[in-house]
Amino acid sequence: MRLVPRLAAALSGLALALGGVVAVAPAAHATPQACFYTVLEQHPEADPEVVEGACLIGAEGTPEAVRACYFELRRNFVPAVIAFEACRRAAEE
């Protein structure tokens, strides 16, 4: 009979722990790495060194940095939609 309350407590703790992971997950996408992988997954012909540099510039988060990231990717023939989304991801905190 004492097993039921223990099991309920363990399952409640597990649900809270998983809920915390889900709550933190969206913030994990907002990094220069997310920018980098967004570009290379959707446009594999892009030069990885150029993409890395552009994403690091965009990570500063200022409107000028995002614009610089975008234009750097566009110079490397990354489609506009992909470049915009990637640079936006790099700038998010």
Side-chain angles (χ1 to χ4, degrees), residues 3-4 7-8 12 17-18 20 23 28 30 33 37 49 51 61-62 69 80 83 87-88:
L3 180 61
V4 173
L7 184 60
S12 296
L18 291 176
Q33 289 83 13
Y37 289 117
E49 291 179 13
V51 174
T62 64
C69 170
C87 292
R88 186 186 62 76

Side-chain angles (χ1 to χ4, degrees), residues 1 7 11 13 18 24 27-28 30 32-33 42 51 59 63 65 67 70 73 75 77 79 82 89:
M1 184 114 90
L7 184 60
L11 290 176
L18 291 176
V24 173
Q33 289 83 13
Q42 297 180 24
V51 174
R67 238 179 272 120
Y70 175 81
L73 291 175
R75 261 188 292 218
F77 304 106
I82 297 170
R89 284 186 176 198

Side-chain angles (χ1 to χ4, degrees), residues 9-79:
L11 290 176
S12 296
L14 180 63
L16 288 174
L18 291 176
V21 170
V22 171
V24 173
H29 294 287
T31 63
Q33 289 83 13
C35 168
F36 181 80
Y37 289 117
T38 297
V39 173
L40 292 182
E41 285 174 358
Q42 297 180 24
H43 190 71
E45 302 85 36
D47 181 1
E49 291 179 13
V50 173
V51 174
E52 180 183 15
C55 291
L56 289 173
I57 291 169
E60 293 176 23
T62 64
E64 294 80 19
V66 173
R67 238 179 272 120
C69 170
Y70 175 81
F71 287 122
E72 188 66 30
L73 291 175
R74 291 294 293 143
R75 261 188 292 218
N76 196 36
F77 304 106
V78 174

